[in-house]
Amino acid sequence: MRTKCTHPALVLVLAVALTSAARAAPPAGPWRRHVIDDSSRGADGTRLADVNADGRPDIVCGWEEGGVTRAYLNPGPDKAAENWPAVTVGPTRSVEDAVFVDLDRDGAADVVTCCEGRTRSMFVHWAPRAKGKYLDGAAWRTEPLPASSKVMAWMFCLPMDVDGQGGVDLVAAGKGGGARVGWFEAPAGPAGPRELKAWKWHPLIDAAWIMSLIAEDMDADGDLDVVVTERKGKATGCYWLEKPGGPKEGAGASAALRSQSSFSRPWRRHWIGSRGKQVMFARIVDLDGDGLRDLIVAQKPRTIVFHRRLDRTGTKWRPHEIAMPASAGTAKAVNAGDIDLDGKLDLVFTCEGANAERPGVMWLSYEKAVTDAAWRAGDISGAKGVKYDLVELLDLDADGDLDVLTCEERQLNAVVWYENPTRRPRASAAP
């Protein structure tokens, strides 16, 4: 015969115990590191796309000191811990950014690279049309984008259809003398995007040092705007550029009319926040779960700023600063995901200036509310690594938790991923 437990204190203890048992154990650090590639020098940022339509994200990475750009095909969870199949898509001296985009719409994912230093040019690396040739470096062809030559030190490229014609355009920006945020218009002629000399550059605003370019409909008007983080200069901080035209011109407006609006009217700047601060890479994510997509940004020296969106206009924001541990390196990039499987979004950040005493990759979890100033910190990378870059969260080993993908360009000289050691709870037997 079973008896009921009626003592309130005992009921509470049992409830807490059962709840704790059902949770995944928090991941202890440092996490196990797996090397995807360490064949060159200066791995400088990873960008993702599923280039072979197998449902798995593939990687492209520019190697700044090595002067090459390489693409990696995801081998699947059983082989994810090994070196990934790779191809050098072309030479890229002083490369700062590389991104996948099928520019000529032939079904093969090409690569566009941005280069600084003395190169000061962007390049298109045309992928072979034959699927079986994708990893054949000799089958790739590299060409400079003439309209980009010697214009500025190019830092970042965002593939985005700006004008609704001619295919995918390229929003791009740089740093230093002559730097701008602008876009390259894809030609609509017979040769199409393959005729690189026909691409036209449309500068939008002056810039000093651009870090992030993100495509997002910030004002809910049905077209994509561009979110920018600027690290230095008179316009330092986080803002977005409002694309003119689009549905605001009227549902019956022709594509040509909407395109003309993009050419002739200025893109209005709207401030998000962090003005006067040295902001680095940012992400857009609904961090507080209220249905509005917020902006999180790594801000030097050691702060993550949660810019909370207050309405759908994109003009009202409230900043919440989240302190990084004093033991970490300096802020570089941030991303959000449920790291410990407790149903709440956590933050993962990467650093520059890391060393044996200052980890370069860590994660943060809040205790009471997402607006807390202090979050609980956990180590991911351990003592290895000096200068990390963009960070991606994805389940590479198919074990149900989010792993961390990034690259390090000084000590490890590698594209790496860290295996999340979160332990899923075991299903308990029925009473």
Side-chain angles (χ1 to χ4, degrees), residues 25-147:
W31 299 5
R32 185 180 180 188
R33 183 179 66 247
H34 302 285
V35 175
I36 290 173
D37 184 24
D38 59 357
S39 64
S40 190
R41 295 179 296 112
D44 202 6
T46 51
R47 308 281 290 276
L48 305 181
D50 181 5
V51 303
N52 53 3
D54 64 356
R56 298 190 289 260
D58 306 299
I59 303 169
V60 64
C61 179
W63 296 76
E64 184 174 6
E65 280 72 35
V68 296
T69 292
R70 289 169 61 77
Y72 307 89
L73 296 186
N74 191 325
D78 293 339
K79 296 184 178 181
E82 304 172 6
N83 287 166
W84 289 19
V87 59
T88 298
V89 306
T92 48
R93 184 175 295 179
S94 300
V95 60
E96 271 293 323
D97 181 55
V99 63
F100 287 119
V101 54
D102 184 3
L103 274 188
D104 55 2
R105 294 169 289 178
D106 65 352
D110 311 303
V111 172
V112 174
T113 53
C114 295
C115 298
E116 57 164 345
R118 295 182 179 179
T119 306
R120 295 171 61 88
S121 182
M122 294 173 60
F123 295 87
V124 177
H125 309 271
W126 300 108
R129 288 188 171 93
K131 292 183 178 179
K133 292 281 190 178
Y134 202 82
L135 293 180
D136 180 0
W140 286 74
R141 184 161 58 91
T142 296
E143 293 183 286
L145 183 61

Side-chain angles (χ1 to χ4, degrees), residues 225-376:
D225 309 295
V226 177
V227 178
V228 182
T229 61
E230 186 157 0
R231 181 176 179 177
K232 292 185 177 180
K234 296 179 180 179
T236 302
C238 307
Y239 55 87
W240 59 278
L241 300 175
E242 180 182 351
K243 180 182 177 294
K248 285 185 175 180
E249 298 295 324
S254 66
L257 176 59
R258 294 195 296 271
S259 171
Q260 187 61 30
S261 295
S262 298
F263 295 132
S264 60
R265 290 167 50 186
W267 290 43
R268 185 181 176 189
R269 187 193 333 243
H270 301 274
W271 282 98
I272 296 172
S274 293
R275 295 193 69 170
K277 303 295 185 179
Q278 190 174 177
V279 292
M280 305 298 282
F281 288 116
R283 292 279 177 160
I284 293 179
V285 61
D286 183 6
L287 191 63
D288 56 3
D290 65 353
L292 300 174
R293 284 166 62 79
D294 313 297
L295 183 134
I296 52 175
V297 64
Q299 180 177 295
K300 285 189 177 294
R302 292 183 179 85
T303 303
I304 305 298
V305 184
F306 161 35
H307 290 288
R308 187 177 188 181
R309 180 194 282 262
L310 301 182
D311 66 11
R312 297 190 182 279
T313 69
T315 60
K316 297 179 180 179
W317 303 81
R318 180 174 296 142
H320 299 275
E321 293 193 352
I322 301 165
M324 291 167 48
S327 60
T330 58
K332 184 62 176 288
V334 64
N335 208 336
D338 185 0
I339 296 300
D340 53 3
L341 301 179
D342 66 352
K344 302 185 301 184
L345 287 182
D346 307 300
L347 298 175
V348 175
F349 64 84
T350 59
C351 301
E352 299 176 328
N355 54 42
E357 288 77 36
R358 294 187 180 277
V361 187
M362 300 186 73
W363 71 286
L364 299 169
S365 177
Y366 66 88
E367 296 291 342
K368 296 180 180 179
V370 70
T371 54
D372 290 347
W375 292 32
R376 176 171 56 89

